[in-house]
Amino acid sequence: MAQHVMTDQVGVRFGIACGALFLLTAGVVSAPLSGGYGVAALLLVTGLLATTLDRSHALGLGLAGWAFATGFAVHALGVLTFAPSDLARLGAFVLLAVLTSRGRAGAE
């Protein structure tokens, strides 16, 4: 009989990944590692964490990664803006997360 653990569920892995991004963001802010280095760190970790998710959850993780990067590494106090550079960053986070994901929902 196969044993199931909580991390077999994609929603649990998504929650863990979002929590990890939250903790990394705290580190970026306290380092201070603002600007490009902070964004790069969050982008890299978002891509790595997305490898455990299906595409729909990876999309959400990409959005969360962008929000943390834009709100804390680029701007201060969680301020989100939608300037062309912010939208390009949004595209990069979402694209990387989806490309590194496991594929379609339920493909596990």
Side-chain angles (χ1 to χ4, degrees), residues 18-104:
C18 287
L21 284 180
F22 180 78
L23 292 175
L24 177 59
T25 301
V28 164
V29 170
S30 65
L33 192 62
S34 62
Y37 291 117
V39 171
L42 286 161
L43 181 63
L44 176 67
V45 172
T46 298
L48 290 172
L49 292 170
T51 62
T52 68
L53 304 174
D54 60 30
R55 281 195 183 131
S56 60
H57 285 89
L59 173 65
L61 186 67
L63 291 172
W66 168 80
F68 285 133
T70 300
F72 295 99
V74 176
H75 303 295
L77 304 175
V79 174
L80 296 178
T81 57
F82 298 95
S85 60
D86 299 318
L87 296 177
R89 192 176 315 107
L90 172 61
F93 271 85
V94 169
L95 183 63
L96 180 65
V98 169
L99 288 177
T100 59
S101 71
R102 288 188 173 186
R104 65 180 171 75

